[in-house]
Amino acid sequence: AVAIPAQAVHKKNRLLHGNLSVYHFTRKLRAMPMPNAPRRASLHRRGSQAVLDVDDGSCPLTAEGQLDRIGSGFYLWVLVLTIGGASMAESMEMGSVAPIHSALARTFGLSHSQRSALPLITFGGSALGLLFSGPICDQQGRKVVLQLSLLTIALVMFATASLPNDANNSFVLVLRFLSGFVSAVQAPARCVLAVESSPKEYRSRVMFAISLMEAIGTFLQALAVEYLMPYLGEASSDRWRTYCYVVGSASLCTLPLMHWLQESPSFLAINGDADGCVEALNNIARMSGKPLISTEAAEQMRQGG
């Protein structure tokens, strides 16, 4: 038999006792109610709707946190189709600037200086549109700007297609300025609305889908120009008026989808419209088939601003 020194035995017992003490302390600590510990969310029903009482620390009572809780669903498809449709209409309008200008110069007998001024006025309007887009979006909202832009694009293109051949040349230049301005205003609005209305996990996919639809719009624009204006506006047989009607109709077709599109919850929250923020989030959750925000959680969001 090997003799074990008493000092070693005492050290072993002390370590064992210490480990047991830490174990029991850990058990007691886990059993103690922690004041800042996250609470579980409770799911209950209100009428025919499932309502989530959001009191879990992992799901913060913010617009972005609630979008992450809702996750994917039918609303993301609405978001992609609506904003993607607006991108398609804008790409069809601005992608055909050169043949449209050639047709306008030939039809209305523009002078050399007026013909040279057409692209300057159009893209000058685009520059001003991008400059004013941010302040307008922050004051009026992203959805309103997108709606007005689509409606104005349709009206401008219909007005351009309806101009008589003896129309004043200055009126032609004004229409081209408005076309560039309203097309540029919607670009930041639709991007910000898409980002602020989608969960972080799906934002890259949403933006990719919108960019894909914009590319499809450019492809459709090329096909329409090939079919309606094969001589790029230089020949009298080019049907540029029909092309303007097509572009205006593309903008109008996107407007009905705006009925289901919600305003950015983050924009509403930042501007102090807590009721509107809660309503927008509940509409998104309802369309996505996800639980709504309970009255208690909504009240906490209102108090939190």
Side-chain angles (χ1 to χ4, degrees), residues 216-239:
I216 294 175
T218 303
F219 176 73
L220 294 177
Q221 169 261 326
L223 291 180
V225 169
E226 174 66 23
Y227 179 71
L228 297 174
M229 293 189 293
Y231 297 98
L232 302 179
E234 297 291 349
S236 58
S237 59
D238 285 342
R239 293 173 288 174

Side-chain angles (χ1 to χ4, degrees), residues 38-68:
R39 297 167 291 173
R40 293 181 179 275
S42 59
L43 182 65
H44 56 92
R45 299 195 65 82
R46 179 179 300 150
S48 60
Q49 298 291 339
V51 181
L52 184 67
D53 188 1
V54 185
D55 57 358
D56 189 355
S58 63
C59 184
L61 291 173
T62 61
E64 185 176 1
Q66 292 303 308
L67 287 173
D68 292 338

